[in-house]
Amino acid sequence: EGQELAFDRGKGNCLTCHHVPEPNEPFQGTIGPDLAGIATRLDAGQLRLRLVDAGLLNPQTVMPPYFRIEGLRDVAPAFRDRPALNAQEIEDVVAYLASLRTP
């Protein structure tokens, strides 16, 4: 489920900015760090924090907060007053990212 959410262009949309070790996924991004082997660099808690609100670690990040809803500007109507991913979806994406051990 987490992989599906990460690849979904309308939900997680990770591929817009990140590359993942999946050769069948075209049009992968290069703005954010490559996610191949991410589980060898970050533990589940660190991955979760970045998904919930990467701005807590880097206020200049371009990565959107997937769970925080307060203090956001220019939010599409479909996402106003609700997180982009719910708590279970965050956990599903964390589980997928935590499985990416090979660079």
Side-chain angles (χ1 to χ4, degrees):
E1 304 235 353
Q3 180 181 12
E4 187 176 314
L5 285 165
F7 292 7
D8 186 320
R9 301 286 180 171
K11 288 288 271 184
N13 204 16
C14 300
L15 299 180
T16 294
C17 296
H18 300 279
H19 180 269
V20 296
E22 180 55 54
N24 294 328
E25 280 297 324
F27 312 114
Q28 295 189 36
T30 58
I31 295 169
D34 190 331
L35 298 179
I38 192 72
T40 63
R41 300 186 302 273
L42 301 173
D43 65 28
Q46 293 168 318
L47 293 167
R48 185 177 299 105
L49 176 60
R50 284 162 174 79
L51 288 170
V52 168
D53 188 359
L56 293 170
L57 298 171
N58 176 4
Q60 303 304 315
T61 187
V62 296
M63 183 163 165
Y66 282 90
F67 197 72
R68 178 175 61 89
I69 59 173
E70 297 83 22
L72 302 178
R73 300 182 322 258
D74 301 321
V75 177
F79 294 101
R80 285 193 187 131
D81 300 321
R82 72 174 191 84
L85 297 176
N86 66 39
Q88 183 59 58
E89 291 168 330
I90 293 283
E91 293 306 313
D92 291 342
V93 174
V94 167
Y96 165 64
L97 295 173
S99 75
L100 299 179
R101 299 206 157 276
T102 306

